[in-house]
């Protein structure tokens, strides 16, 4: 299996290393910045680095477009339409139609927050797979199963829904962590005091539905405590608005 990595960021780095560890051959790494392509390609025995899409090899079995959603159209346009290998992107929000110029195409999407310099077990991450034909979906399952056994077929609409869900549980929750961080920092309290409850909350939803483990003043409809909180937050309009919105939603869902 000869793989061309188009991209040198978080997803490309982790996928490339996982593929190489299994025995697949990374033959080329592309990045808009040559130094980034060089850095990632250096870790693979036979990989060439390039910053020119005109120099992309045409003998790959799998082309992985591990780039930002906004970069996908430009890269697709620049790649030759007659590539025989399977061309896939890794986006949750981009329809497979963007790859229609290629005879063989699909998607490998991990609903996971991936950072290049943080150790990650690819085998523990679920991957959503889509192919432009049953044959190509089966091929993707065959390619991915040795490194990521938790793979499921997922069409473009389902993948978009999953991506929205990931934004709620990851990006939005992280914003709330930041709100709490700023609040505690303002009053000389260490954020470490909240880390155990963050972990406990995350652990609970591994076993039960989120609604079943909801706690707090809004869950109890404790108006006295809620009003104390809002009175304190009146000095910070943005945090007060977030608090009010989320409190109203919890109360509504637990009537």
């Amino acid at each position: 299996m000869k793989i061309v990595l188009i991209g040198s960021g978080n997803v490309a780095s982790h996928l490339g290393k996982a593929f190489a560890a299994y025995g697949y051959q990374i033959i080329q790494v592309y990045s808009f910045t040559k130094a980034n392509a060089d850095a990632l390609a250096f870790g693979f025995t036979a990989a060439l680095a390039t910053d020119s899409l005109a120099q992309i090899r045409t003998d790959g079995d799998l082309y992985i477009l591990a780039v930002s959603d906004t970069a996908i159209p430009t890269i697709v346009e620049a790649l030759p339409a007659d590539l025989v290998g399977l061309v896939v992107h890794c986006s949750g929000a981009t329809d497979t139609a963007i790859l229609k110029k290629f005879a063989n195409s699909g998607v490998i999407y991990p609903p996971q927050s991936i950072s290049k310099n943080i150790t990650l077990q690819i085998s523990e991450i679920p991957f959503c797979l889509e192919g432009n034909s049953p044959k190509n979906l089966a091929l993707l399952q065959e390619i991915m199963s040795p490194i990521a056994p938790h793979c499921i077929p997922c069409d473009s609409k389902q993948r978009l829904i999953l991506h929205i869900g990931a934004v709620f549980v990851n990006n939005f929750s992280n914003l709330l962590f930041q709100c709490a961080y700023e609040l505690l920092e303002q009053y000389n309290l260490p954020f470490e005091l909240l880390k155990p409850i963050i972990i406990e909350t995350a652990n609970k939803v591994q076993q039960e539905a989120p609604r079943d483990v909801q706690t707090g003043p809004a869950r109890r409809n404790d108006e006295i405590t809620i009003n104390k909180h809002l009175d304190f937050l009146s000095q910070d309009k943005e945090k007060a608005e977030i608090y009010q919105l989320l409190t109203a939603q919890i109360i509504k869902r637990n009537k």
Side-chain angles (χ1 to χ4, degrees):
M1 174 62 60
K2 294 183 292 185
I3 297 174
V4 175
L5 294 176
I6 299 178
S8 61
N10 300 328
V11 176
S13 296
H14 282 287
L15 277 179
K17 291 173 184 176
F19 282 134
Y22 179 69
Y24 294 151
Q25 185 180 13
I26 310 299
I27 62 172
Q28 191 174 36
V29 176
Y30 162 85
S31 177
F32 178 77
T33 304
K34 183 61 160 53
N36 292 341
D38 286 332
L40 183 55
F42 182 77
F44 307 122
T45 304
L48 300 174
T50 183
D51 58 358
S52 171
L53 289 169
Q55 295 179 0
I56 291 294
R57 292 179 58 166
T58 58
D59 59 337
D61 300 308
L62 178 65
Y63 295 81
I64 302 176
L65 278 59
V67 296
S68 68
D69 289 15
T70 54
I72 291 175
T74 301
I75 289 174
V76 167
E77 183 178 357
L79 291 175
D82 59 352
L83 288 175
V84 176
L86 188 57
V87 182
V88 302
H89 68 64
C90 303
S91 168
T94 304
D95 197 285
T96 49
I98 193 73
L99 303 173
K100 64 183 180 180
K101 69 183 278 186
F102 305 110
N104 302 296
S105 63
V107 177
I108 51 174
Y109 164 61
Q112 175 64 280
S113 178
I114 296 176
S115 298
K116 186 186 300 187
N117 298 319
I118 295 179
T119 301
L120 194 68
Q121 294 296 327
I122 289 287
S123 61
E124 297 177 1
I125 298 174
F127 277 80
C128 299
L129 308 181
E130 184 175 3
N132 69 334
S133 69
K135 179 181 178 180
N136 284 329
L137 175 59
L139 178 57
L140 280 176
Q141 291 172 322
E142 181 182 344
I143 293 169
M144 292 298 298
S145 59
I147 70 162
H150 308 296
C151 292
I152 62 167
C154 199
D155 65 29
S156 292
K157 182 178 180 181
Q158 290 172 317
R159 197 172 63 255
L160 176 62
I161 292 168
L162 185 59
H163 191 261
I164 294 170
V167 169
F168 271 100
V169 301
N170 177 246
N171 306 135
F172 291 169
S173 64
N174 193 68
L175 171 63
L176 297 180
F177 297 158
Q178 179 62 24
C179 287
Y181 183 97
E182 293 167 356
L183 185 63
L184 269 63
E185 183 180 47
Q186 185 178 355
Y187 292 92
N188 300 313
L189 289 165
F191 185 65
E192 281 69 20
L193 293 172
L194 292 180
K195 289 182 178 179
I197 196 172
I198 292 172
I199 294 170
E200 176 65 15
T201 302
N203 285 338
K204 284 179 179 178
V205 297
Q206 306 305 312
Q207 308 298 330
E208 302 182 58
R211 176 174 176 169
D212 294 337
V213 294
Q214 182 72 61
T215 61
R219 173 65 179 85
R220 301 187 299 271
N221 202 12
D222 180 352
E223 293 184 8
I224 293 176
T225 299
I226 291 170
N227 287 332
K228 283 183 180 179
H229 290 175
L230 287 172
D231 182 59
F232 181 85
L233 289 172
S234 61
Q235 58 192 311
D236 189 328
K237 183 179 178 181
E238 289 184 351
K239 287 187 178 65
E241 288 177 349
I242 293 171
Y243 186 102
Q244 284 180 306
L245 175 62
L246 296 181
T247 293
Q249 287 296 313
I250 293 172
I251 291 172
K252 178 180 178 181
R253 283 169 164 74
N254 289 278
K255 285 184 177 179

